[in-house]
Amino acid sequence: MPTEMPPLGTLPARKHLPAVQRPGAPHDGPVLDVVIPVHNEQADLEPCVRRLHSHLTRTFPYGFRITIADNASTDRTPEVAARLDDRIDEVIAVRLEQKGRGRALRTVWSMSPAPVLAYMDVDLSTDLNALLPLVAPLISGHSDLAIGSRLARSSRVVRGPKREFISRSYNLILRRSLATRFSDAQCGFKAIRQDVAELLLPMVEDTGWFFDTEMLVLAERAGLRIHEVPVDWVDDPDSRVDIVETAVDDLKGVWRVGRALGTGALPLARLRRPFGDDPRDRELGDVPQGLARQLVGFCTVGALSTLVYIALYSLLRLGAGPQIANAVALLLSAVANTAANRRLTFGVRGPERVVRHQAQGMLVFAIGLALTSGSLAALDLAGGGSPSHATELSVLIAANLAATVLRFLLLRAWVFPALRADPDGRAEPRPERVRAMTAAPAQSGSTSGTGRAVVDDARTPPALHFADLHDHDHGHDRDHTPRIDR
């Protein structure tokens, strides 16, 4: 049966996780679940897990768990994972029959009961001293996601020039094409709060290496807080990642996500925090919300529109009178101006109500046309002859400046009203258009011959979780079969 999206609604307010875990408390169990996705890593897996376990035991003040997510390995990796599961209480082994790092993270994170979820690469290229700083902002309730950054100024990185160039080029592409602000999308050292993952993961389509980039882009566009930690990182010379294939897949993912964001196909409104959790959401007297940002956007669009208008007017004036040239130039620039202000100044995305917005923009255009046409008529009467082209342009620019203030007020208050009041009198954003999103069918889990959890499908529903994972008494049979709540 198809996986259902989580119910519409915003995220709960962030809260600091309890400092002392009490029996029966909401988070009675591991606070942190560190996932290690692996594929054919029989040599590195055990040293990695033991080193990570030793570090967490010595330094992490909360309960933790380490989950080995085996991506359809064909060597002895499943046997090594099963042995670690049996010998170390805090280690869980999960087997997936399909390959893909994103698939493994989505599956295991959706199954985990821990309120903070993390992952790291099996080579442990990132120094583990950054793990506590990575998850601390999520435990405290300060941030929603956290990432390790190799490109931060204070990071210390050892790697070859080829991978350095590829990494910086990829992050530059993200900043230029998707307007991202985080510095390092590809570092295999990330964490997320479980309540955020529950709503965010069903929106992420990729199941491979682009998974975490897509997750970060959507989180940032939804206004979630992403904490960055400078890391010490040493390149693994034995890395088996196909750089060319990964780069091509990443570029395809950038195009797909950019197109979805541009058309408003993603229901990012459900990821917003409630009123009061973000001080920018609060309504303050005499402080219009978002006014400064909107003014900057409006002035930028207005300056570009004015240049387009002047160019069109000058071109049309070669073969038509001033009134006709002014009307046509103003009409064309007004359509572009409304579309640009809709998207850039007032943040309205998607095709919903676009015709209505353009119609309202035409009425605003009519006001500008009346002002500029009246100015031309007055110039003609006052001059008693044919004024020069420079004089015409000067008068038109002055008239347009006068109409600009009125245009901004009408766009803000009438065409694109940013806020509406709810029944309690609070200001809240207008809901974005939410399109139905259908995920692939979910398949039930099964158990392998070793008794470890086996998951066969990529689109694991948020309700899928482990059953009795905390029964880690040695010498007892344990049921690690995932349970699906319908």
Side-chain angles (χ1 to χ4, degrees), residues 2 103 448:
R103 175 178 288 108
S448 67

Side-chain angles (χ1 to χ4, degrees), residues 13 51 63 142 166 175 206 220 234 266 303 373 382 428 456 477:
R51 179 181 160 199
H142 174 271
I166 292 173
R175 287 196 294 273
D206 192 80
E220 188 175 78
V234 179
L266 295 167
S373 297
E428 62 178 19
D456 300 327
D477 292 331

Side-chain angles (χ1 to χ4, degrees), residues 298-430:
F298 181 80
C299 290
T300 302
V301 172
L304 295 175
S305 298
T306 300
L307 293 177
V308 171
Y309 166 78
I310 292 174
L312 289 172
Y313 178 82
S314 300
L315 181 64
L316 293 169
R317 191 66 178 85
L318 298 176
Q323 293 288 5
I324 294 177
N326 172 63
V328 174
L330 196 60
L331 174 63
L332 295 177
S333 61
V335 173
N337 181 278
T338 300
N341 276 311
R342 182 179 190 269
R343 175 67 175 82
L344 301 177
T345 303
F346 299 100
V348 181
R349 300 177 177 86
E352 186 180 15
R353 305 175 74 183
V354 65
V355 176
R356 176 179 175 178
H357 290 157
Q358 282 291 351
Q360 291 173 309
M362 285 299 100
L363 293 179
V364 176
F365 150 77
I367 296 175
L369 179 63
L371 287 174
T372 53
S373 297
S375 299
L376 284 174
L379 176 65
D380 187 58
L381 291 175
S386 298
S388 67
H389 182 65
T391 303
E392 284 182 357
L393 283 179
S394 299
V395 170
L396 286 173
I397 291 173
N400 269 304
L401 290 175
T404 296
V405 176
L406 182 59
R407 184 184 304 121
F408 175 74
L409 295 175
L410 287 174
L411 289 176
R412 178 179 169 84
W414 179 49
V415 183
F416 306 111
L419 300 176
R420 61 178 174 83
D422 69 7
D424 297 328
R426 302 180 306 183
E428 62 178 19
R430 287 188 177 274

